[in-house]
């Protein structure tokens, strides 16, 4: 019973991940893409924890922990450097005009 | 489940190739490394998944965004 519920939840999370990927591809704004990437990160973190519970392997939780730390660093880098990148682009456009 | 994840990776890879804004490509590449770590985990390669999560999602994204900060953001 519990195994069936966990398997159904795995496929539900995969569908959520597919919806997040579609949002990353079709979003016009880059902040929308960043938010979709954060949602994808959270969904896959939950999926890793679900697989760890389902298969009773504790090493998967190590993968989830390492991914959470470094994925947060990557998202932080994108969010930190994006205003400077936009500022430089605007400065170049003002120089051009 | 692996086939669905591979289809998602192919979609993201094609999008990162055809995108004109390089920040969007970096975001797509970060999502690709995330899904790759999940596939490695599903096939019981935990050490490869840890390395992919640390290097692919963390360090590569930081280096790409840092390089974009010093160069142009538009693909020519």
């Amino acid at each position: 019973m519990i195994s069936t519920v966990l398997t159904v939840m795995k496929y539900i999370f995969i569908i959520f991940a597919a919806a997040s990927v579609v949002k990353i591809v079709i979003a016009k704004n880059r902040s929308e893409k960043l938010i979709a990437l954060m949602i994808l990160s959270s969904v896959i973190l939950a999926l890793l924890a679900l697989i760890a519970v389902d298969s009773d392997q504790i090493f998967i939780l190590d993968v989830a922990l390492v991914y959470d730390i470094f994925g947060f660093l990557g998202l932080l880098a994108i969010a930190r450097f994006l205003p400077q990148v936009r500022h430089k682009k605007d400065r170049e456009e003002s120089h051009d005009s | 489940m692996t086939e669905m994840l591979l289809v998602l990776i192919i979609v993201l890879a094609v999008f990162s190739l055809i995108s004109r804004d390089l920040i969007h490509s970096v975001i797509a590449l970060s999502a690709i490394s995330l899904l790759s770590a999940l596939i490695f985990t599903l096939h019981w390669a935990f050490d490869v998944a840890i390395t992919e999560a640390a290097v692919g999602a963390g360090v590569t994204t930081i280096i790409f965004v840092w390089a974009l900060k010093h160069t142009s953001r538009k693909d020519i």
Side-chain angles (χ1 to χ4, degrees), chain A residues 67 70-71 73-75, chain B residues 30 33-34 51-62:
Chain A
Y67 181 74
F70 284 95
L73 280 183
L75 291 173
Chain B
S30 180
S33 68
L34 173 60
T51 310
E52 175 69 30
V55 176
V59 181
T60 307
T61 307
I62 293 174

Side-chain angles (χ1 to χ4, degrees), chain B residues 35-73:
Chain B
L35 293 170
S36 310
L38 181 60
I39 288 180
F40 291 146
T41 307
L42 285 176
H43 289 274
W44 306 102
F46 300 128
D47 43 355
V48 186
I50 287 178
T51 310
E52 175 69 30
V55 176
V59 181
T60 307
T61 307
I62 293 174
I63 288 175
F64 278 164
V65 176
W66 181 56
L68 277 184
K69 197 184 81 168
H70 294 285
T71 53
S72 173
R73 236 185 76 193

Side-chain angles (χ1 to χ4, degrees), chain A residues 33-83:
Chain A
K33 286 180 191 293
L34 193 59
I35 289 173
L37 183 64
M38 291 179 71
I39 293 172
L40 181 66
S41 173
S42 305
V43 166
I44 289 188
L45 191 67
L47 191 55
L48 285 174
L50 203 63
I51 293 170
V53 171
D54 191 15
S55 62
D56 212 3
Q57 291 282 332
I58 204 167
F59 297 110
I60 303 181
L61 292 178
D62 295 338
V63 179
L65 181 69
V66 170
Y67 181 74
D68 196 22
I69 294 171
F70 284 95
F72 176 71
L73 280 183
L75 291 173
L76 197 66
I78 296 176
R80 174 69 181 84
F81 283 129
L82 267 188

Side-chain angles (χ1 to χ4, degrees), chain A:
Chain A
M1 176 66 189
I2 291 178
S3 175
T4 308
V5 171
L6 289 178
T7 307
V8 171
M9 283 300 293
K10 269 194 234 173
Y11 282 99
I12 289 175
F13 276 133
I14 288 288
I15 291 171
F16 285 167
S20 300
V21 168
V22 169
K23 182 65 179 171
I24 287 177
V25 172
I26 69 171
K28 296 267 191 280
N29 202 354
R30 67 174 183 276
S31 56
E32 291 181 6
K33 286 180 191 293
L34 193 59
I35 289 173
L37 183 64
M38 291 179 71
I39 293 172
L40 181 66
S41 173
S42 305
V43 166
I44 289 188
L45 191 67
L47 191 55
L48 285 174
L50 203 63
I51 293 170
V53 171
D54 191 15
S55 62
D56 212 3
Q57 291 282 332
I58 204 167
F59 297 110
I60 303 181
L61 292 178
D62 295 338
V63 179
L65 181 69
V66 170
Y67 181 74
D68 196 22
I69 294 171
F70 284 95
F72 176 71
L73 280 183
L75 291 173
L76 197 66
I78 296 176
R80 174 69 181 84
F81 283 129
L82 267 188
Q84 299 181 10
V85 173
R86 186 184 60 187
H87 188 64
K88 185 178 177 185
K89 175 173 164 278
D90 291 342
R91 204 168 52 214
E92 286 174 356
E93 284 179 354
S94 64
H95 274 300
D96 291 340
S97 64

Side-chain angles (χ1 to χ4, degrees), chain B residues 11 19 31-32 34 48 72 76:
Chain B
V11 168
S19 174
I32 284 175
L34 173 60
V48 186
S72 173
I76 300 173

